[in-house]
Structure formats: C-alpha cells, structure tokens
Amino acid sequence: MAALSDLLPAAAIRLDVPVPDWRAAIRTAGGLLVEAGATTAAYTAEMVANVAENGPYIVIAPGFALAHARPSPAVLRTALSWVRPAAPVDFGHETNDPVHLVVALAARDQSAHTAALAALARLLADPGTARALREAPDAEALRTVLAGPDAGCQRADAAEARPVHTILTVCGNGLGTSLFLKTTLERVLDRWGWTRHVTVEATDALSARGRASEAVAVLTSREIAGMLGEIGIPVAAVEDFTSPREVDRVLRDLYDV
C-alpha cells in the first residue's frame, strides 16, 4: 500500500493560500490534484458538490477537513494534495470550525490509499505533531513531519480468533473520513484488548443501511447520522475522528462499560 510520501509530493502542497471560503479552499486543493496529473477538473467539482449535498461532514477534527468524492472517471490515479489557508475558513461545522488545513484525496479504488490515511490519522491524533503540521514553514518541513516514525507504522494483525462483533464507520463515500474514524477506533480497541472480539469496517452511508443487520453499531459524523436515520442498531455521532478519548467515550456508552 502507498505511503504518505508516495501520495503527497511537495508540488501538491500549498501553504498560507488566501481563500475566501470553503469552496475556494477545496478548489485550490483540487487544482493541485489536476496539476499533479491525478485528476481532471471534474473531480474538483465533485468534491465541492459532495459538501454542498451532504454537509460539512468532511471536517473530521478541529481545524481539519478531508475533501474527497467517490471514485470516478475524473480520478486518474490515487493522490493527495495539501492546502493551508492563509486565514482559517468556516465550512459550517458545528464544533470543528474554523478549518486550518484542507487535505484533498483522489482515490482510484477502495484500498490503495488506506495505509496513508491511517498514518495521517495517527499523526493528527498527536497534539504535538498536529501543531507541527499546522505550523510547518514550507513544503519540505511539512513532508519531514509526515515522514515521522509513525508514518509507516501499521496496526498489527488482530489475534486469530474470529471477531464476534462488527462496528461500521461510515461516511458519504466510504473511502475517506470513515477510514480516519476506523483507524482511531482500532487504536482504542487495541488498547482495550478487544481486537479479537470486534472488527471495524469502513463503508458508505448507502451500504451501511443494507449492512446494518451484520453490525452491532455505527460510528459516524453528526451529518451522516442524521442522513442514516433509524437503521435498527445504535448510530453514534463522533465530532473528532482523530480523538481516541472521544471514541473511547462513545465505545463505553455503546457497551455500557
């Protein structure tokens, strides 16, 4: 699987860019993907439409937005771009605005980028590393932080026993923000020693409705939770997808621990 350094070249990073609003921030990030030969301009429009239609669920942590859309013919190869607005931008998220960092993801399929996003989620979960990413003076300094010791780390395989429960992490497209939440939830389950009992699967909102009978719970954003409605299992909203503390609390509520 591709690492962060493979998917985010220095040329796809722009720092301290003047952008008047969230649409301009996403268009800037999308333009970098186009310049890198990863997408066509149509994908940028799809990322903007995703937020316009589904709300600001892509703002998955305080100050951080992961812009993306579904895999489409407009995606030529899997890649990331990174934009730091000159001034924080409001996306309309109730708790995580304003946004200081916008990362755009273009994915050709459901798997090539998973390791890179898991690594990024771990880096953002560390307050010191998150601050270093926000304050990096240039693209090379940013890439140095991203190449830190945790960037290549992957979760060890769970014990061989078959998991008893499945928890779904859900976003609009099943390939971006849900993977961030999956990574954080797996870290909490590792700490609890529950990885042999619970498996976590990232999916999209439409699939989650059809798969509800296979799972014990859904973790997702407030916006997607409202979209799912009543599906026969608990649906828990998480505000900060990179916060083990918040996910730990949600998990304790689900299991009455």
Side-chain angles (χ1 to χ4, degrees), residues 166-170 203-220 224-236:
T166 297
I167 296 177
L168 303 178
T169 59
V170 179
T203 189
D204 62 273
L206 181 61
S207 299
R209 293 191 183 98
R211 298 188 58 196
S213 62
E214 306 170 14
V216 297
V218 164
L219 269 61
T220 187
I224 299 299
M227 185 186 306
L228 287 173
E230 177 55 53
I231 59 173
I233 58 174
V235 177

Side-chain angles (χ1 to χ4, degrees), residues 146-167:
L146 291 174
D150 194 41
C153 179
Q154 296 191 39
R155 190 176 66 93
D157 289 339
E160 293 182 1
R162 184 177 178 85
V164 176
H165 292 166
T166 297
I167 296 177

Side-chain angles (χ1 to χ4, degrees), residues 79-236:
L80 297 168
S81 66
W82 187 288
V83 171
R84 184 172 70 195
V89 177
D90 285 338
F91 274 64
H93 196 282
E94 185 174 340
T95 58
N96 290 337
D97 269 349
V99 169
H100 301 265
L101 295 174
V102 179
V103 172
L105 165 68
R108 285 281 292 173
D109 54 44
Q110 299 279 348
S111 61
H113 60 292
T114 55
L117 286 189
L120 182 57
R122 288 190 293 268
L123 292 171
L124 289 169
D126 178 75
T129 305
R131 183 171 59 254
L133 291 171
R134 289 194 304 269
E135 298 174 356
D138 53 44
E140 287 307 320
L142 177 68
R143 280 169 55 82
T144 298
V145 178
L146 291 174
D150 194 41
C153 179
Q154 296 191 39
R155 190 176 66 93
D157 289 339
E160 293 182 1
R162 184 177 178 85
V164 176
H165 292 166
T166 297
I167 296 177
L168 303 178
T169 59
V170 179
C171 70
N173 302 303
L175 53 78
T177 58
S178 60
L179 289 173
F180 267 73
L181 186 52
K182 178 179 186 289
T183 297
T184 304
L185 177 54
E186 287 176 338
R187 290 180 64 198
V188 174
L189 290 169
D190 280 343
R191 189 174 65 202
W192 284 24
W194 278 25
T195 51
R196 70 172 60 194
H197 306 298
V198 182
T199 187
V200 184
E201 297 184 23
T203 189
D204 62 273
L206 181 61
S207 299
R209 293 191 183 98
R211 298 188 58 196
S213 62
E214 306 170 14
V216 297
V218 164
L219 269 61
T220 187
S221 66
R222 185 190 304 270
E223 292 82 6
I224 299 299
M227 185 186 306
L228 287 173
E230 177 55 53
I231 59 173
I233 58 174
V235 177

